[in-house]
């Protein structure tokens, strides 16, 4: 097993709010040159020590031109996202294009630029979602794009290793986070959701401790009475749930 090189930087795609911002603050506190990408980089409440760079993943020009220079080797966190609770027939063409660009084609094009520039071995940390395998109501597009993000990440591993054998990939599927901005307009009990700072601590610990080239991790909130919202970590992929409530995904 090749030892991972000491990383000098952390680039967080979607590091202006929520989980991405918590990941960025911890990277900076650990002494890494920490780059935060997003649209609202000029209005970050706590930007001390962060290298902020404007990026709109729904705008192909922005994806093509955003500054990708960084000290290497680096962690790259793929975090940016937005939720969409709508049946497909309620989704208009503009929403379909924007969400697909934000959750998939924009970051994939941006990663292609980063990897083509060959910054040496990278440690890619992808924040997908338990929605990549869970049965959900009226979230067809969101769930499909999260599953695509997870499948893309798994299949990128051999390509990264072929270029640099000491590269690493961590695929994280979190459950519900207490990030009200993400679930705009939904009536949610945030007391039963996971704290994004606590989840960011877990993700950094897992990434730093990872020995092998690839790890897939589930960080799901406990439903146990008295422990609701406490993050529970388990390893490996989960089979997709059946669209029929209560039915197993596979024949026994
Ligand atoms: N919240 C949950 O319950 C939950 C659960 C499982 C997985 N996740 C996943 O975790 C990730 C982070 O979610 P969060 O809850 O932390 O949400 P959040 O607080 O809304 O943060 C979303 C991030 O994405 C960035 N972003 C949004 N649109 C963008 C665009 N067009 N171009 C560039 N960046 C853009 C935002 O930056 P700007 O607004 O500055 O552009 C922000 O930094 C998402 O991928 C989400 O799917 C969330």
């Amino acid at each position: 097993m090749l030892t991972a090189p000491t990383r000098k930087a952390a680039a967080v795609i979607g590091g202006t709010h929520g989980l991405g911002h918590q990941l960025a603050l911890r990277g900076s506190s650990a002494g890494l040159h920490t780059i935060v990408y997003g649209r609202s980089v000029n209005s970050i409440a706590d930007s001390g020590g962060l290298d902020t760079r404007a990026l709109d993943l729904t705008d192909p020009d922005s994806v093509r031109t955003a500054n990708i220079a960084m000290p290497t080797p680096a962690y790259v966190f793929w975090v940016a996202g937005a939720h969409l609770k709508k049946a497909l027939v309620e989704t208009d063409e503009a929403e379909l294009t924007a969400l697909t660009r934000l959750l998939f084609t924009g970051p994939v094009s941006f990663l292609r630029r980063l990897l083509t520039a060959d910054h040496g071995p990278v440690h890619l940390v992808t924040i997908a979602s338990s929605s990549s395998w869970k049965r959900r109501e009226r979230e067809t597009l969101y769930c499909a794009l999260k599953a695509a993000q997870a499948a893309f990440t798994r299949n990128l591993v051999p390509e990264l290793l072929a270029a640099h054998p000491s590269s690493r990939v961590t695929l994280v599927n979190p459950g519900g986070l207490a990030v009200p901005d993400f679930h705009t307009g939904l009536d949610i009990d945030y007391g039963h959701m996971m704290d994004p700072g606590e989840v960011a601590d877990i993700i950094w610990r897992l990434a730093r401790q990872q020995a092998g080239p690839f790890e897939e991790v589930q960080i799901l909130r406990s439903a146990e009475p008295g422990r609701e919202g406490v993050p529970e970590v388990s390893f490996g992929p989960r089979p997709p749930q059946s669209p029929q409530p209560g039915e197993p995904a596979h024949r026994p």
Side-chain angles (χ1 to χ4, degrees), residues 41-130:
V41 281
N42 294 327
S43 52
I44 298 181
D46 182 1
S47 65
L50 300 175
D51 176 352
T52 54
R53 300 182 186 176
L55 171 67
D56 183 349
L57 290 163
T58 66
D59 174 0
D61 277 344
S62 173
V63 172
R64 263 194 297 273
T65 57
N67 180 359
I68 58 165
M70 63 186 69
T72 60
Y75 291 95
V76 176
F77 291 85
W78 175 2
V79 194
H83 192 232
L84 184 68
K85 183 104 183 155
K86 277 190 177 179
L88 188 61
V89 293
E90 300 160 347
T91 309
D92 66 33
E93 195 73 28
E95 286 172 318
L96 199 158
T97 302
L99 199 68
T100 304
R101 284 183 175 168
L102 169 58
L103 292 181
F104 195 68
T105 46
V108 166
S109 295
F110 192 66
L111 281 174
R112 195 192 65 81
R113 273 190 71 209
L114 273 178
L115 297 175
T116 308
D118 196 5
H119 288 319
V122 296
H123 188 148
L124 174 66
V125 181
T126 295
I127 308 302
S129 175
S130 58

Side-chain angles (χ1 to χ4, degrees), residues 13-21 36-41 43 55-59 78-83 98 102-103 127-131 136 142 146 149 172-183 193-194 196:
I13 306 168
T16 52
H17 313 289
L19 178 61
H21 193 55
V36 162
Y37 289 102
R39 295 164 305 172
S40 61
V41 281
S43 52
L55 171 67
D56 183 349
L57 290 163
T58 66
D59 174 0
W78 175 2
V79 194
H83 192 232
L102 169 58
L103 292 181
I127 308 302
S129 175
S130 58
S131 295
R136 301 277 194 214
Y142 177 76
K146 282 287 161 186
Q149 181 189 20
V172 184
N173 292 308
L177 300 165
V179 178
D181 286 349
F182 183 77
H183 301 277
M193 307 289 261
M194 297 184 292

